Amino acid sequence: MPPQMRLAFVASDAPIAQQAKATLHAQYNGVPLDEAEIIVALGGDGFMLETLHDTQELDVPVYGMNRGTVGFLMNNYSSQGLRDRLARAEEEVINPLRMTATSVDGTLHEALAINEVSMLRSGPQAAKLRIHVDGKLRMDELVCDGALLSTPAGSTAYNYSAHGPIVPIGSEVLALTAVAAFRPRRWRGALLPKAAQVTFEIVNAAKRPVHADADGVSFKNIARVDIRSAPEIEHRILFDPGHGLEERLIREQFA
């Protein structure tokens, strides 16, 4: 990487992240986002997802440094030697999921999810879901607190907490996982081809309300959710050598 590669710095609202942004912006002559060749995001995983969504039209790689809590998508923070680290960084390209959620009143909502799309009950009663894959009914009734469809990049997040599998980055599959399944009680979910189109119908949605969520963007009173991968959208993430997503996913399984 040329020594004068233009860097833009963005940070979460956390004081520690804002302080790091001010330090790095001055130290490395930070530029506005629309002039950047690399974006450096300072915060946690949630802020990294927010940055990837907000800058997807720029086609600029994002290098995260952890100033938050978890930091699975982030590199370790240091104010020293940043240009050298960026010159040696390895790039991962991930595709998001495209969600179309239909409300009970027929309103359509669209959102993208880098980690997962989830459906969760909004009231005291369990949700009842009907699942179609590529237009074919695969499960007539799943009674649960919810369900989610995860990308490989998001498989260590909510999906893993719900006892879903960790999916290797290069596997070209999506993880479909139930949240607190009641019936069928022992259903362990499914691994689906990345190109699959998945539809969730909410059975008796008025009585058993469900909300849909795509990376924190939520819509209430949903009757149907259609999800597919969006290979036309590419998010470019930079990691320090030997600490890319594939290594992190493997390491997480032996933690």
Side-chain angles (χ1 to χ4, degrees), residues 1-7 9 24 27-28 38 40 63 65 75-76 78-91 238-242:
M1 184 186 67
Q4 296 305 313
M5 178 71 75
R6 297 189 300 275
L7 309 179
F9 298 91
L24 293 171
Q27 186 173 344
Y28 294 99
I38 292 179
V40 178
Y63 178 87
M65 285 201 287
N75 300 284
N76 292 331
S78 174
S79 63
Q80 303 303 312
L82 178 58
R83 291 192 182 278
D84 289 338
R85 291 175 72 182
L86 293 174
R88 293 182 286 107
E90 300 169 350
E91 182 174 295
L238 298 176
F239 293 98
D240 290 331

Side-chain angles (χ1 to χ4, degrees), residues 54-110:
D54 290 346
T55 63
Q56 70 180 40
E57 302 298 331
L58 297 178
D59 190 28
V60 174
V62 180
Y63 178 87
M65 285 201 287
N66 192 12
R67 296 281 81 186
T69 303
V70 180
F72 184 80
L73 296 174
M74 314 300 277
N75 300 284
N76 292 331
Y77 175 78
S78 174
S79 63
Q80 303 303 312
L82 178 58
R83 291 192 182 278
D84 289 338
R85 291 175 72 182
L86 293 174
R88 293 182 286 107
E90 300 169 350
E91 182 174 295
E92 302 271 9
V93 177
I94 59 175
N95 308 116
L97 298 173
R98 186 181 297 278
M99 177 190 79
T100 301
T102 306
S103 296
V104 172
D105 64 6
T107 304
L108 296 180
H109 310 277
E110 294 190 349

Side-chain angles (χ1 to χ4, degrees), residues 148-161:
L148 59 91
L149 189 68
S150 170
T151 66
S155 64
T156 61
Y158 188 17
N159 171 72
Y160 193 40
S161 297

